[in-house]
Amino acid sequence: MAEVEETLKRIQTHEGVIGTIVVNAEGIPIRTTLDNSTTVQYAGLLHQLTMKARSTVRDIDPQNDLTFLRIRSKKHEIMVAPDKEYMLIVIQNPSE
Amino acid sequence: MEIVYVYTKKRNEFGRQCNFSDRSAELHVDILPDPSLAVNFIERDPCDVPIQCTQEMSEHEVNTERFESDTRGINHVEGGWPKDVNPHEMEQTIRFRKKVEKDENYISTVMQLGNNMEHCIKQNNAIDIYREYFEEEEVVEESEVQPSAKTINVFRDPNEVKRTASSLSWHPDGSRKLAVAYSSLEFQKVSKDMSLNSYIWDIENPNKPEMTLKPVSPLVCLEYNPKDCHILVGGSYNGQIAYWDTRKGSQPVEMSTIEHSHRDPVYRVIWLQSKTGTDTFSASTDGQVLWWDIRKMSEPTERLILDPNKKGNLDNALGAISLEFETTMPTKFMVGTEQGLVVSCNRKAKTPAEKIVCMYSGHHGPIYALQRNPFFPKNFLTVADWTARIWSEDIKESSIMWTKYHTAYLSDGSWSPVRPSVFFTIKMDGTLDVWDFLFKQNDPTLSVKVCDEALNSLRVQDNGHFLACGSQLGTVTLLEISSGLCTLQKNEKALATAMFERETKREKILEARHREMRLKERSRSEQSKEEDTKEGDGEESPEELITRIEKDFYEIVEAELKKRDKGEEKKVRLILNSFTGLRVVRGSLRVVKGSSKIVKGFTNKGGGPDSTL
């Protein structure tokens, strides 16, 4: 329990990190540092995108699997670390 | 044997209404076999029955039902909370969350994902991978392509007896046509069945010449009029000049009269720059340079005799093999002679004596090609004997740059019209050399074996991209040069200018030095005349000297051959010509051997023959 806290806190304090979200397979945000509406939006949309990305990777090579997803946009970078049951989402402002 | 065939069908299969009750089968018709009917039939023997031993196949079409798919999005408003949890109640959600957080799976997953995530976050912070680095540096386009020359077309002499392609001229307008003069320059090799014709080829059609020119005597040289692309002038073997109009046919429009023409084959004819565009001048080995106006070919408008003593004496005259005329300098022209001298002349001079301005010596054999650099008119290229030399007009003693002595005789050469530092030479062993002296000075940049027989003539097209070379057996090969050799490089003009200036300066310094040495010699020999009787050791009789020199010469030749066999390329080479100039001055002979100074990797320049005396 404490390690989880520590990990998440460490991630949050990295330079440029705007927010951190942990979502479960049903889309329920377990842990978040952003406000609820934003969290819900991110969780929902990114869940779908991750599923699509994973299915794409597996379609091309069934033995392959998605390990990480990074979306870089003009304003910031969204990083998604998917897993079977949970998903960790971090929004970071990369060094400019 | 009874053959019985029973045929049953359901009622509704042959259109009858159905009975709603079962009924047994009824026999409707029973036809028994009647042997008496067999009389109406003849047994067929043999029977032709075709049988095919293949699989029976039939074609079926199957179409599945269309599967309709639709894309829909889901707007996720709130997570899929389990039934018992009310999403709006804070307490319940918090409780649920806390429960999940206690899950072991959750803990391990988050740890693992956290590690990955941290790695990426740190990566992002470390370096911005999307930044444009090196955007100030310009991409330097380096053509890594090897220089090459590709044969595009080969035009062969259609006659049985092959003659040499002695001269080529490109059509001035777009260069789609090539005029080739065929003649046999070998002494007394002209046979009766040798054709006299010369041809104009269309470069796209190598099978048949586009037009034939029928002179009275074979043409040695041929030139298109740069102003009027239908007019050609040709100099023939018997010394006459003739001109053709391609619109008027194969016969020459007019020919010069025999009495007033040259007495030897006309080796070169060039069009002059004039208002009427009808002036030409021609050179021949009889020692004369004649000016003609093609409208009046009965006699030349002007005559110049190449007498080095400037007396106009035809007996002394040097035979002319090549001419040079640059339209940017209409008053000057140059003549290359059989004796290896280049004579620079002024057209506007009043007396014949003044016509010959100066002479450049340095070659051992007839000068087959003479051309000014199109970018630097003060420098000109001469191709003769086994070398090609570049001269500067100001330096009369010797050439400023020269190539090494080749194994085969050089027969023609030309500057590239697009690049000031590139020139082409062809040799008697059938190779074409492309030299770029800003790139490499010792060797040609590109050496291509065009054909097995000797090459006699060369002409570069005006765009510098194509060139045609004619061989001894009348085969004209059209080559395309790789773009690296015909596009102007950056700074090329500046570098070439610098190179020429440097070489000219070097020669000037050497010239000054030689003059000094000469003065010293002269003063010393004057002194030695007084002490003539005392000196005995230093002098040798002419015969002894000659034998000694011969021995030295042969030794050097052998050493060279040995060196060449070993495949070594030494930079120090003794010029053979340092032994060829010997003159007796006031009874004392002195031979100065070529010094072994290395000058820029070229063949070294020892004291030339003239400077020793």
Side-chain angles (χ1 to χ4, degrees), chain A residues 10-18 70 72 77 79 90 92-96, chain B residues 117-129 133:
Chain A
R10 199 174 57 232
I11 290 175
Q12 184 62 34
T13 49
H14 266 300
E15 191 190 309
V17 173
I18 300 171
R70 254 171 159 180
R72 200 174 248 248
E77 180 162 345
M79 293 177 275
V90 172
Q92 188 193 17
N93 203 351
S95 59
E96 295 290 346
Chain B
M117 186 64 75
E118 260 202 276
H119 174 78
C120 292
I121 291 174
K122 282 183 192 160
Q123 227 177 37
N124 270 346
N125 283 336
I127 186 165
D128 182 8
I129 58 172
Y133 294 108

PDB file of all heavy atoms in Angstrom, chain A residues 10-18 70 72 77 79 90 92-96, chain B residues 117-129 133:
ATOM      1  N   ARG A  10       5.756   9.855  -6.520  1.00  0.00           N
ATOM      2  CA  ARG A  10       7.000  10.119  -7.231  1.00  0.00           C
ATOM      3  C   ARG A  10       6.718  10.532  -8.680  1.00  0.00           C
ATOM      4  O   ARG A  10       7.297  11.479  -9.204  1.00  0.00           O
ATOM      5  CB  ARG A  10       7.888   8.868  -7.187  1.00  0.00           C
ATOM      6  CG  ARG A  10       9.337   9.219  -7.476  1.00  0.00           C
ATOM      7  CD  ARG A  10      10.246   8.031  -7.291  1.00  0.00           C
ATOM      8  NE  ARG A  10       9.835   6.925  -8.123  1.00  0.00           N
ATOM      9  CZ  ARG A  10       9.627   5.690  -7.630  1.00  0.00           C
ATOM     10  NH1 ARG A  10       9.786   5.426  -6.358  1.00  0.00           N
ATOM     11  NH2 ARG A  10       9.246   4.723  -8.443  1.00  0.00           N
ATOM     12  N   ILE A  11       5.787   9.769  -9.264  1.00  0.00           N
ATOM     13  CA  ILE A  11       5.440  10.099 -10.648  1.00  0.00           C
ATOM     14  C   ILE A  11       4.883  11.507 -10.736  1.00  0.00           C
ATOM     15  O   ILE A  11       5.250  12.281 -11.624  1.00  0.00           O
ATOM     16  CB  ILE A  11       4.419   9.075 -11.204  1.00  0.00           C
ATOM     17  CG1 ILE A  11       5.103   7.719 -11.392  1.00  0.00           C
ATOM     18  CG2 ILE A  11       3.845   9.552 -12.539  1.00  0.00           C
ATOM     19  CD1 ILE A  11       4.157   6.620 -11.822  1.00  0.00           C
ATOM     20  N   GLN A  12       4.037  11.812  -9.784  1.00  0.00           N
ATOM     21  CA  GLN A  12       3.394  13.118  -9.829  1.00  0.00           C
ATOM     22  C   GLN A  12       4.387  14.259  -9.676  1.00  0.00           C
ATOM     23  O   GLN A  12       4.230  15.329 -10.262  1.00  0.00           O
ATOM     24  CB  GLN A  12       2.314  13.203  -8.728  1.00  0.00           C
ATOM     25  CG  GLN A  12       1.514  14.489  -8.727  1.00  0.00           C
ATOM     26  CD  GLN A  12       0.732  14.693 -10.002  1.00  0.00           C
ATOM     27  OE1 GLN A  12       0.255  13.736 -10.610  1.00  0.00           O
ATOM     28  NE2 GLN A  12       0.595  15.932 -10.423  1.00  0.00           N
ATOM     29  N   THR A  13       5.430  14.009  -8.918  1.00  0.00           N
ATOM     30  CA  THR A  13       6.361  15.109  -8.660  1.00  0.00           C
ATOM     31  C   THR A  13       7.436  15.261  -9.740  1.00  0.00           C
ATOM     32  O   THR A  13       8.248  16.172  -9.678  1.00  0.00           O
ATOM     33  CB  THR A  13       7.065  14.936  -7.298  1.00  0.00           C
ATOM     34  OG1 THR A  13       7.567  13.600  -7.239  1.00  0.00           O
ATOM     35  CG2 THR A  13       6.124  15.195  -6.158  1.00  0.00           C
ATOM     36  N   HIS A  14       7.441  14.377 -10.726  1.00  0.00           N
ATOM     37  CA  HIS A  14       8.400  14.546 -11.821  1.00  0.00           C
ATOM     38  C   HIS A  14       8.150  15.847 -12.563  1.00  0.00           C
ATOM     39  O   HIS A  14       7.041  16.364 -12.571  1.00  0.00           O
ATOM     40  CB  HIS A  14       8.275  13.395 -12.821  1.00  0.00           C
ATOM     41  CG  HIS A  14       9.230  12.286 -12.546  1.00  0.00           C
ATOM     42  ND1 HIS A  14      10.586  12.459 -12.550  1.00  0.00           N
ATOM     43  CD2 HIS A  14       9.000  10.989 -12.266  1.00  0.00           C
ATOM     44  CE1 HIS A  14      11.162  11.288 -12.269  1.00  0.00           C
ATOM     45  NE2 HIS A  14      10.213  10.383 -12.095  1.00  0.00           N
ATOM     46  N   GLU A  15       9.199  16.315 -13.187  1.00  0.00           N
ATOM     47  CA  GLU A  15       9.110  17.611 -13.857  1.00  0.00           C
ATOM     48  C   GLU A  15       8.130  17.545 -15.008  1.00  0.00           C
ATOM     49  O   GLU A  15       8.197  16.655 -15.862  1.00  0.00           O
ATOM     50  CB  GLU A  15      10.502  17.973 -14.385  1.00  0.00           C
ATOM     51  CG  GLU A  15      10.590  19.415 -14.856  1.00  0.00           C
ATOM     52  CD  GLU A  15      11.901  19.642 -15.585  1.00  0.00           C
ATOM     53  OE1 GLU A  15      12.959  19.276 -15.020  1.00  0.00           O
ATOM     54  OE2 GLU A  15      11.879  20.143 -16.731  1.00  0.00           O
ATOM     55  N   GLY A  16       7.219  18.419 -15.059  1.00  0.00           N
ATOM     56  CA  GLY A  16       6.308  18.541 -16.193  1.00  0.00           C
ATOM     57  C   GLY A  16       5.041  17.729 -16.090  1.00  0.00           C
ATOM     58  O   GLY A  16       4.167  17.846 -16.941  1.00  0.00           O
ATOM     59  N   VAL A  17       4.901  16.892 -15.075  1.00  0.00           N
ATOM     60  CA  VAL A  17       3.712  16.032 -14.989  1.00  0.00           C
ATOM     61  C   VAL A  17       2.521  16.861 -14.539  1.00  0.00           C
ATOM     62  O   VAL A  17       2.577  17.528 -13.504  1.00  0.00           O
ATOM     63  CB  VAL A  17       3.945  14.852 -14.021  1.00  0.00           C
ATOM     64  CG1 VAL A  17       2.666  14.075 -13.808  1.00  0.00           C
ATOM     65  CG2 VAL A  17       5.016  13.935 -14.574  1.00  0.00           C
ATOM     66  N   ILE A  18       1.478  16.795 -15.342  1.00  0.00           N
ATOM     67  CA  ILE A  18       0.287  17.575 -15.020  1.00  0.00           C
ATOM     68  C   ILE A  18      -0.685  16.770 -14.161  1.00  0.00           C
ATOM     69  O   ILE A  18      -1.246  17.266 -13.195  1.00  0.00           O
ATOM     70  CB  ILE A  18      -0.412  18.038 -16.307  1.00  0.00           C
ATOM     71  CG1 ILE A  18       0.543  18.904 -17.134  1.00  0.00           C
ATOM     72  CG2 ILE A  18      -1.673  18.814 -15.975  1.00  0.00           C
ATOM     73  CD1 ILE A  18       0.044  19.221 -18.504  1.00  0.00           C
ATOM     74  N   ARG A  70       1.794   6.286 -26.407  1.00  0.00           N
ATOM     75  CA  ARG A  70       2.167   7.665 -26.133  1.00  0.00           C
ATOM     76  C   ARG A  70       1.504   8.542 -27.179  1.00  0.00           C
ATOM     77  O   ARG A  70       1.641   8.286 -28.367  1.00  0.00           O
ATOM     78  CB  ARG A  70       3.673   7.814 -26.324  1.00  0.00           C
ATOM     79  CG  ARG A  70       4.452   7.930 -25.073  1.00  0.00           C
ATOM     80  CD  ARG A  70       5.886   7.833 -25.449  1.00  0.00           C
ATOM     81  NE  ARG A  70       6.701   8.418 -24.414  1.00  0.00           N
ATOM     82  CZ  ARG A  70       8.004   8.486 -24.442  1.00  0.00           C
ATOM     83  NH1 ARG A  70       8.639   8.018 -25.469  1.00  0.00           N
ATOM     84  NH2 ARG A  70       8.677   9.008 -23.459  1.00  0.00           N
ATOM     85  N   ARG A  72       1.492  12.352 -28.448  1.00  0.00           N
ATOM     86  CA  ARG A  72       2.085  13.666 -28.236  1.00  0.00           C
ATOM     87  C   ARG A  72       1.237  14.683 -28.982  1.00  0.00           C
ATOM     88  O   ARG A  72       0.993  14.542 -30.167  1.00  0.00           O
ATOM     89  CB  ARG A  72       3.493  13.675 -28.794  1.00  0.00           C
ATOM     90  CG  ARG A  72       4.336  14.802 -28.212  1.00  0.00           C
ATOM     91  CD  ARG A  72       5.745  14.679 -28.678  1.00  0.00           C
ATOM     92  NE  ARG A  72       6.592  14.343 -27.541  1.00  0.00           N
ATOM     93  CZ  ARG A  72       7.495  15.192 -27.044  1.00  0.00           C
ATOM     94  NH1 ARG A  72       7.648  16.360 -27.567  1.00  0.00           N
ATOM     95  NH2 ARG A  72       8.242  14.826 -26.039  1.00  0.00           N
ATOM     96  N   GLU A  77       1.890  15.686 -23.568  1.00  0.00           N
ATOM     97  CA  GLU A  77       1.974  14.299 -23.981  1.00  0.00           C
ATOM     98  C   GLU A  77       1.173  13.439 -23.011  1.00  0.00           C
ATOM     99  O   GLU A  77       1.285  13.578 -21.795  1.00  0.00           O
ATOM    100  CB  GLU A  77       3.438  13.849 -23.974  1.00  0.00           C
ATOM    101  CG  GLU A  77       3.592  12.406 -24.396  1.00  0.00           C
ATOM    102  CD  GLU A  77       5.007  12.052 -24.815  1.00  0.00           C
ATOM    103  OE1 GLU A  77       5.794  12.981 -25.051  1.00  0.00           O
ATOM    104  OE2 GLU A  77       5.302  10.862 -24.890  1.00  0.00           O
ATOM    105  N   MET A  79       0.517   9.698 -21.745  1.00  0.00           N
ATOM    106  CA  MET A  79       1.148   8.380 -21.751  1.00  0.00           C
ATOM    107  C   MET A  79       0.247   7.397 -21.040  1.00  0.00           C
ATOM    108  O   MET A  79      -0.233   7.677 -19.948  1.00  0.00           O
ATOM    109  CB  MET A  79       2.503   8.455 -21.046  1.00  0.00           C
ATOM    110  CG  MET A  79       3.489   9.283 -21.822  1.00  0.00           C
ATOM    111  SD  MET A  79       5.040   9.449 -20.968  1.00  0.00           S
ATOM    112  CE  MET A  79       4.654  10.817 -19.931  1.00  0.00           C
ATOM    113  N   VAL A  90      -0.785   9.095 -17.544  1.00  0.00           N
ATOM    114  CA  VAL A  90      -0.054  10.266 -17.039  1.00  0.00           C
ATOM    115  C   VAL A  90      -0.065  11.334 -18.132  1.00  0.00           C
ATOM    116  O   VAL A  90       0.202  11.047 -19.297  1.00  0.00           O
ATOM    117  CB  VAL A  90       1.406   9.908 -16.678  1.00  0.00           C
ATOM    118  CG1 VAL A  90       2.205  11.145 -16.359  1.00  0.00           C
ATOM    119  CG2 VAL A  90       1.436   8.944 -15.514  1.00  0.00           C
ATOM    120  N   GLN A  92       1.824  14.705 -19.295  1.00  0.00           N
ATOM    121  CA  GLN A  92       3.052  15.430 -18.995  1.00  0.00           C
ATOM    122  C   GLN A  92       3.278  16.532 -20.021  1.00  0.00           C
ATOM    123  O   GLN A  92       2.925  16.394 -21.192  1.00  0.00           O
ATOM    124  CB  GLN A  92       4.243  14.469 -19.023  1.00  0.00           C
ATOM    125  CG  GLN A  92       5.524  15.096 -18.527  1.00  0.00           C
ATOM    126  CD  GLN A  92       6.735  14.256 -18.859  1.00  0.00           C
ATOM    127  OE1 GLN A  92       6.668  13.393 -19.708  1.00  0.00           O
ATOM    128  NE2 GLN A  92       7.827  14.514 -18.180  1.00  0.00           N
ATOM    129  N   ASN A  93       3.895  17.576 -19.573  1.00  0.00           N
ATOM    130  CA  ASN A  93       4.290  18.650 -20.472  1.00  0.00           C
ATOM    131  C   ASN A  93       5.777  18.479 -20.756  1.00  0.00           C
ATOM    132  O   ASN A  93       6.606  18.773 -19.904  1.00  0.00           O
ATOM    133  CB  ASN A  93       4.028  19.990 -19.762  1.00  0.00           C
ATOM    134  CG  ASN A  93       3.869  21.090 -20.763  1.00  0.00           C
ATOM    135  OD1 ASN A  93       4.108  20.913 -21.952  1.00  0.00           O
ATOM    136  ND2 ASN A  93       3.455  22.238 -20.271  1.00  0.00           N
ATOM    137  N   PRO A  94       6.141  17.982 -21.930  1.00  0.00           N
ATOM    138  CA  PRO A  94       7.561  17.666 -22.138  1.00  0.00           C
ATOM    139  C   PRO A  94       8.413  18.927 -22.216  1.00  0.00           C
ATOM    140  O   PRO A  94       7.930  20.011 -22.460  1.00  0.00           O
ATOM    141  CB  PRO A  94       7.561  16.922 -23.474  1.00  0.00           C
ATOM    142  CG  PRO A  94       6.345  17.374 -24.156  1.00  0.00           C
ATOM    143  CD  PRO A  94       5.345  17.714 -23.109  1.00  0.00           C
ATOM    144  N   SER A  95       9.688  18.741 -21.987  1.00  0.00           N
ATOM    145  CA  SER A  95      10.603  19.880 -21.922  1.00  0.00           C
ATOM    146  C   SER A  95      10.659  20.581 -23.274  1.00  0.00           C
ATOM    147  O   SER A  95      10.880  19.980 -24.302  1.00  0.00           O
ATOM    148  CB  SER A  95      11.996  19.394 -21.560  1.00  0.00           C
ATOM    149  OG  SER A  95      12.440  18.479 -22.525  1.00  0.00           O
ATOM    150  N   GLU A  96      10.421  21.854 -23.268  1.00  0.00           N
ATOM    151  CA  GLU A  96      10.461  22.642 -24.514  1.00  0.00           C
ATOM    152  C   GLU A  96      11.671  23.544 -24.483  1.00  0.00           C
ATOM    153  O   GLU A  96      11.897  24.222 -23.513  1.00  0.00           O
ATOM    154  CB  GLU A  96       9.184  23.478 -24.647  1.00  0.00           C
ATOM    155  CG  GLU A  96       7.943  22.624 -24.808  1.00  0.00           C
ATOM    156  CD  GLU A  96       7.860  21.904 -26.150  1.00  0.00           C
ATOM    157  OE1 GLU A  96       8.622  22.269 -27.056  1.00  0.00           O
ATOM    158  OE2 GLU A  96       7.065  20.982 -26.275  1.00  0.00           O
TER     159      GLU A  96
ATOM    160  N   MET B 117       6.238   3.881 -16.694  1.00  0.00           N
ATOM    161  CA  MET B 117       5.827   5.268 -16.894  1.00  0.00           C
ATOM    162  C   MET B 117       6.939   6.226 -16.500  1.00  0.00           C
ATOM    163  O   MET B 117       7.221   7.185 -17.210  1.00  0.00           O
ATOM    164  CB  MET B 117       4.573   5.529 -16.043  1.00  0.00           C
ATOM    165  CG  MET B 117       3.972   6.886 -16.267  1.00  0.00           C
ATOM    166  SD  MET B 117       3.362   7.128 -17.918  1.00  0.00           S
ATOM    167  CE  MET B 117       1.872   6.177 -17.879  1.00  0.00           C
ATOM    168  N   GLU B 118       7.581   5.899 -15.417  1.00  0.00           N
ATOM    169  CA  GLU B 118       8.660   6.789 -14.962  1.00  0.00           C
ATOM    170  C   GLU B 118       9.763   6.879 -15.993  1.00  0.00           C
ATOM    171  O   GLU B 118      10.324   7.935 -16.251  1.00  0.00           O
ATOM    172  CB  GLU B 118       9.246   6.234 -13.667  1.00  0.00           C
ATOM    173  CG  GLU B 118       8.704   6.938 -12.461  1.00  0.00           C
ATOM    174  CD  GLU B 118       9.625   6.779 -11.286  1.00  0.00           C
ATOM    175  OE1 GLU B 118       9.514   5.759 -10.609  1.00  0.00           O
ATOM    176  OE2 GLU B 118      10.449   7.679 -11.112  1.00  0.00           O
ATOM    177  N   HIS B 119      10.064   5.734 -16.554  1.00  0.00           N
ATOM    178  CA  HIS B 119      11.097   5.691 -17.584  1.00  0.00           C
ATOM    179  C   HIS B 119      10.758   6.667 -18.712  1.00  0.00           C
ATOM    180  O   HIS B 119      11.587   7.476 -19.129  1.00  0.00           O
ATOM    181  CB  HIS B 119      11.197   4.265 -18.119  1.00  0.00           C
ATOM    182  CG  HIS B 119      12.130   4.152 -19.275  1.00  0.00           C
ATOM    183  ND1 HIS B 119      13.490   4.127 -19.117  1.00  0.00           N
ATOM    184  CD2 HIS B 119      11.895   4.063 -20.596  1.00  0.00           C
ATOM    185  CE1 HIS B 119      14.056   4.023 -20.307  1.00  0.00           C
ATOM    186  NE2 HIS B 119      13.111   3.981 -21.226  1.00  0.00           N
ATOM    187  N   CYS B 120       9.509   6.598 -19.152  1.00  0.00           N
ATOM    188  CA  CYS B 120       9.116   7.482 -20.260  1.00  0.00           C
ATOM    189  C   CYS B 120       9.089   8.938 -19.849  1.00  0.00           C
ATOM    190  O   CYS B 120       9.464   9.814 -20.634  1.00  0.00           O
ATOM    191  CB  CYS B 120       7.750   7.050 -20.792  1.00  0.00           C
ATOM    192  SG  CYS B 120       7.843   5.462 -21.589  1.00  0.00           S
ATOM    193  N   ILE B 121       8.670   9.167 -18.643  1.00  0.00           N
ATOM    194  CA  ILE B 121       8.632  10.565 -18.181  1.00  0.00           C
ATOM    195  C   ILE B 121      10.038  11.130 -18.150  1.00  0.00           C
ATOM    196  O   ILE B 121      10.301  12.242 -18.627  1.00  0.00           O
ATOM    197  CB  ILE B 121       8.001  10.660 -16.771  1.00  0.00           C
ATOM    198  CG1 ILE B 121       6.507  10.320 -16.848  1.00  0.00           C
ATOM    199  CG2 ILE B 121       8.200  12.053 -16.192  1.00  0.00           C
ATOM    200  CD1 ILE B 121       5.862  10.241 -15.500  1.00  0.00           C
ATOM    201  N   LYS B 122      10.940  10.340 -17.627  1.00  0.00           N
ATOM    202  CA  LYS B 122      12.325  10.812 -17.555  1.00  0.00           C
ATOM    203  C   LYS B 122      12.890  11.028 -18.952  1.00  0.00           C
ATOM    204  O   LYS B 122      13.618  11.984 -19.208  1.00  0.00           O
ATOM    205  CB  LYS B 122      13.180   9.781 -16.821  1.00  0.00           C
ATOM    206  CG  LYS B 122      12.999   9.835 -15.339  1.00  0.00           C
ATOM    207  CD  LYS B 122      13.936   8.848 -14.689  1.00  0.00           C
ATOM    208  CE  LYS B 122      13.568   8.672 -13.229  1.00  0.00           C
ATOM    209  NZ  LYS B 122      14.108   7.427 -12.695  1.00  0.00           N
ATOM    210  N   GLN B 123      12.511  10.128 -19.823  1.00  0.00           N
ATOM    211  CA  GLN B 123      12.962  10.269 -21.213  1.00  0.00           C
ATOM    212  C   GLN B 123      12.521  11.613 -21.778  1.00  0.00           C
ATOM    213  O   GLN B 123      13.292  12.330 -22.403  1.00  0.00           O
ATOM    214  CB  GLN B 123      12.306   9.167 -22.042  1.00  0.00           C
ATOM    215  CG  GLN B 123      13.242   8.432 -22.939  1.00  0.00           C
ATOM    216  CD  GLN B 123      12.516   7.318 -23.658  1.00  0.00           C
ATOM    217  OE1 GLN B 123      11.360   7.467 -24.032  1.00  0.00           O
ATOM    218  NE2 GLN B 123      13.196   6.225 -23.841  1.00  0.00           N
ATOM    219  N   ASN B 124      11.267  11.904 -21.537  1.00  0.00           N
ATOM    220  CA  ASN B 124      10.726  13.170 -22.034  1.00  0.00           C
ATOM    221  C   ASN B 124      11.464  14.348 -21.466  1.00  0.00           C
ATOM    222  O   ASN B 124      11.758  15.308 -22.153  1.00  0.00           O
ATOM    223  CB  ASN B 124       9.248  13.300 -21.633  1.00  0.00           C
ATOM    224  CG  ASN B 124       8.362  12.724 -22.679  1.00  0.00           C
ATOM    225  OD1 ASN B 124       8.792  12.464 -23.786  1.00  0.00           O
ATOM    226  ND2 ASN B 124       7.120  12.514 -22.314  1.00  0.00           N
ATOM    227  N   ASN B 125      11.752  14.240 -20.215  1.00  0.00           N
ATOM    228  CA  ASN B 125      12.424  15.367 -19.576  1.00  0.00           C
ATOM    229  C   ASN B 125      13.866  15.483 -20.024  1.00  0.00           C
ATOM    230  O   ASN B 125      14.441  16.553 -20.050  1.00  0.00           O
ATOM    231  CB  ASN B 125      12.388  15.198 -18.056  1.00  0.00           C
ATOM    232  CG  ASN B 125      11.025  15.545 -17.521  1.00  0.00           C
ATOM    233  OD1 ASN B 125      10.284  16.283 -18.146  1.00  0.00           O
ATOM    234  ND2 ASN B 125      10.692  15.002 -16.362  1.00  0.00           N
ATOM    235  N   ALA B 126      14.454  14.359 -20.370  1.00  0.00           N
ATOM    236  CA  ALA B 126      15.880  14.397 -20.691  1.00  0.00           C
ATOM    237  C   ALA B 126      16.132  15.113 -22.003  1.00  0.00           C
ATOM    238  O   ALA B 126      16.964  15.991 -22.101  1.00  0.00           O
ATOM    239  CB  ALA B 126      16.416  12.976 -20.760  1.00  0.00           C
ATOM    240  N   ILE B 127      15.415  14.695 -23.001  1.00  0.00           N
ATOM    241  CA  ILE B 127      15.718  15.288 -24.301  1.00  0.00           C
ATOM    242  C   ILE B 127      14.439  15.431 -25.101  1.00  0.00           C
ATOM    243  O   ILE B 127      13.549  14.600 -25.032  1.00  0.00           O
ATOM    244  CB  ILE B 127      16.749  14.411 -25.051  1.00  0.00           C
ATOM    245  CG1 ILE B 127      17.179  15.114 -26.336  1.00  0.00           C
ATOM    246  CG2 ILE B 127      16.183  13.049 -25.380  1.00  0.00           C
ATOM    247  CD1 ILE B 127      18.421  14.519 -26.916  1.00  0.00           C
ATOM    248  N   ASP B 128      14.373  16.496 -25.843  1.00  0.00           N
ATOM    249  CA  ASP B 128      13.187  16.723 -26.655  1.00  0.00           C
ATOM    250  C   ASP B 128      13.410  16.052 -27.998  1.00  0.00           C
ATOM    251  O   ASP B 128      14.180  16.528 -28.831  1.00  0.00           O
ATOM    252  CB  ASP B 128      13.002  18.237 -26.824  1.00  0.00           C
ATOM    253  CG  ASP B 128      11.758  18.541 -27.620  1.00  0.00           C
ATOM    254  OD1 ASP B 128      10.983  17.612 -27.899  1.00  0.00           O
ATOM    255  OD2 ASP B 128      11.587  19.722 -27.956  1.00  0.00           O
ATOM    256  N   ILE B 129      12.742  14.951 -28.184  1.00  0.00           N
ATOM    257  CA  ILE B 129      13.068  14.197 -29.390  1.00  0.00           C
ATOM    258  C   ILE B 129      12.500  14.818 -30.652  1.00  0.00           C
ATOM    259  O   ILE B 129      12.897  14.477 -31.738  1.00  0.00           O
ATOM    260  CB  ILE B 129      12.566  12.744 -29.295  1.00  0.00           C
ATOM    261  CG1 ILE B 129      11.049  12.721 -29.053  1.00  0.00           C
ATOM    262  CG2 ILE B 129      13.266  12.007 -28.199  1.00  0.00           C
ATOM    263  CD1 ILE B 129      10.475  11.335 -29.155  1.00  0.00           C
ATOM    264  N   TYR B 133      16.939  19.553 -34.970  1.00  0.00           N
ATOM    265  CA  TYR B 133      18.366  19.788 -34.799  1.00  0.00           C
ATOM    266  C   TYR B 133      18.995  20.041 -36.156  1.00  0.00           C
ATOM    267  O   TYR B 133      18.477  19.636 -37.174  1.00  0.00           O
ATOM    268  CB  TYR B 133      19.029  18.557 -34.166  1.00  0.00           C
ATOM    269  CG  TYR B 133      18.554  18.310 -32.770  1.00  0.00           C
ATOM    270  CD1 TYR B 133      17.718  17.250 -32.486  1.00  0.00           C
ATOM    271  CD2 TYR B 133      18.936  19.155 -31.732  1.00  0.00           C
ATOM    272  CE1 TYR B 133      17.287  17.014 -31.202  1.00  0.00           C
ATOM    273  CE2 TYR B 133      18.497  18.926 -30.454  1.00  0.00           C
ATOM    274  CZ  TYR B 133      17.678  17.860 -30.184  1.00  0.00           C
ATOM    275  OH  TYR B 133      17.239  17.625 -28.927  1.00  0.00           O
TER     276      TYR B 133
END
